Amino acid sequence: MERVVGRAAASVWEAGNNASTSSGGEAMGVGSSSSWLSGFKEDDAVQTPTCVSFVDPQGSVGAKVLFNLAYGLPTLAFLVFLTWRLKPALKRLVRSQSQIMRTYYSFLWVVCALNLFRCWFQIAESAQSAGGRNERLWNVMWLLTMTGMTVMEVSVVTFLSQGYVATGKEALVRTLCISGLFALVDAVVKMVLIFGAGTSLFIYHADSPTPLEADMSWAKWGFWTAHHLLYCVVYAFILVLPHTHLRDFLPARPSFYRYVALLCANNFGLVVGAMMVGSKHVTGYCVYGFFNFLYFACYPPLLYMTFLSEFFIDDELELEHAYYSEMREAGYFDDIDFQQ
């Protein structure tokens, strides 16, 4: 009887020990699986979507340098073209005495130089293996570049919208005042948002706990949506003007309206991209980054081809006409019968 009771007690003790072991194993399994899941979530949170690099290059040093080179090479190529054409351009500007063309040509050089220096600065900052980037200088470089682009872009529309009301000097002074004031207000608003409200307009903070969620805020992308929407509405209004009684206030050159249509389409793409990012769509970074790249890479050449190229081509035609007149006065064509 005692043996039977002893065996029963031993079996009960073994069963209890096995149950505690299995429950402990299950608890350990649950704990390990939960820690694995949390680790997976942490790894997933650290990874930055590729589309973000279209706006602010992320990832390895090589990837950052590659994206910044893609932004800088078109500007560098255009600066090489301007340098190649510098001597005849200066001769034309000296002979013409056109203050308007001198101003735009100078703006073109300054803006391209600022854009190229900004790309070089970002490459140098990205190549640093230790330490983070200098956010204050990064923001200042972006502000300077975009202020120069704003002055140049607004001054074109301001000057051409004045028609023939004022002389060249009066129109130039009025144009610089209006475009400079607009660019100043735009820069002040951006500085208040960046340095006052802490809104990161140009930088993606990958080191924050939730960088993607923090960057997709309407405080940032709502500003860019309103900013580009304003430009889009203005350019669309200019495209409508030729069909109204106000058409005499704008030039009749088709190249001007092609210029306005391209900028209107580009700003519309930027509005779509900004709204997508603000609405938590990651692909909006790709859309916004693509149209932003088109703007910085193509706007200086577009401005040159629309307004300055014809000015310099006219100079070459004038030179050919002057050479022809000199040769005809010297009697080189006296023996030629043009009626045949």
Side-chain angles (χ1 to χ4, degrees):
M1 185 65 180
E2 292 178 356
R3 292 180 179 178
V4 173
V5 173
R7 289 177 180 176
S11 62
V12 170
W13 180 82
E14 289 179 359
N17 191 22
N18 292 335
S20 62
T21 303
S22 62
S23 62
E26 290 177 358
M28 291 178 63
V30 171
S32 61
S33 62
S34 61
S35 62
W36 180 81
L37 286 175
S38 62
F40 178 79
K41 290 180 181 179
E42 289 177 0
D43 293 340
D44 183 65
V46 171
Q47 293 179 354
T48 303
T50 305
C51 284
V52 175
S53 294
F54 283 76
V55 178
D56 186 7
Q58 302 295 319
S60 63
V61 174
K64 294 178 181 179
V65 172
L66 182 63
F67 274 102
N68 284 303
L69 280 176
Y71 264 87
L73 286 178
T75 303
L76 179 62
F78 185 63
L79 277 176
V80 171
F81 169 77
L82 289 179
T83 304
W84 175 57
R85 300 287 300 170
L86 180 60
K87 188 175 180 179
L90 291 178
K91 289 182 178 180
R92 168 61 170 163
L93 291 171
V94 170
R95 280 197 301 268
S96 67
Q97 299 293 324
S98 175
Q99 296 175 338
I100 297 294
M101 291 303 173
R102 288 179 181 179
T103 303
Y104 282 126
Y105 190 70
S106 302
F107 277 170
L108 207 59
W109 273 95
V110 171
V111 169
C112 289
L114 279 174
N115 195 21
L116 190 64
F117 183 74
R118 177 188 58 81
C119 292
W120 173 83
F121 171 78
Q122 292 186 184
I123 291 174
E125 286 277 299
S126 301
Q128 292 180 357
S129 57
R133 55 187 175 185
N134 192 326
E135 294 186 4
R136 183 173 293 273
L137 283 178
W138 195 284
N139 286 319
V140 169
M141 289 304 304
W142 268 107
L143 286 170
L144 287 176
T145 305
M146 297 203 70
T147 300
M149 298 283 281
T150 302
V151 170
M152 193 163 58
E153 188 175 350
V154 174
S155 64
V156 170
V157 177
T158 304
F159 175 73
L160 294 177
S161 64
Q162 297 179 59
Y164 305 99
V165 175
T167 63
K169 187 175 182 179
E170 293 174 350
L172 176 61
V173 172
R174 186 180 295 109
T175 298
L176 293 179
C177 290
I178 295 175
S179 58
L181 180 61
F182 184 89
L184 179 62
V185 172
D186 181 67
V188 168
V189 172
K190 290 174 182 174
M191 286 189 291
V192 169
L193 288 174
I194 295 172
F195 303 113
T199 303
S200 179
L201 294 180
F202 306 112
I203 298 176
Y204 179 87
H205 292 284
D207 54 349
S208 63
T210 56
L212 197 62
E213 182 180 353
D215 191 74
M216 288 181 166
S217 64
W218 278 112
K220 173 179 180 177
W221 296 104
F223 167 79
W224 287 123
T225 300
H227 182 271
H228 298 302
L229 185 62
L230 175 63
Y231 280 84
C232 187
V233 170
V234 171
Y235 286 127
F237 177 72
I238 293 174
L239 291 175
V240 174
L241 279 182
H243 306 285
T244 66
H245 66 281
L246 300 175
R247 58 182 175 270
D248 296 333
F249 289 93
L250 292 176
R253 297 171 55 185
S255 59
F256 171 70
Y257 294 100
R258 286 194 295 268
Y259 162 87
V260 171
L262 289 173
L263 287 178
C264 182
N266 184 264
N267 279 280
F268 179 76
L270 290 169
V271 169
V272 173
M275 292 184 67
M276 289 177 66
V277 177
S279 301
K280 313 302 181 185
H281 294 285
V282 179
T283 52
Y285 284 104
C286 286
V287 176
Y288 187 88
F290 173 73
F291 284 101
N292 200 42
F293 168 78
L294 286 182
Y295 177 71
F296 280 96
C298 299
Y299 180 71
L302 174 65
L303 182 66
Y304 180 88
M305 295 300 297
T306 304
F307 302 104
L308 294 174
S309 62
E310 295 181 3
F311 176 75
F312 294 126
I313 289 175
D314 290 342
D315 181 58
E316 297 177 358
L317 294 176
E318 289 179 5
L319 287 176
E320 292 181 1
H321 180 70
Y323 293 150
Y324 174 77
S325 300
E326 292 177 0
M327 293 175 68
R328 189 170 67 176
E329 290 176 0
Y332 282 96
F333 305 110
D334 292 346
D335 299 333
I336 300 177
D337 187 5
F338 293 99
Q339 298 297 328
Q340 294 180 355

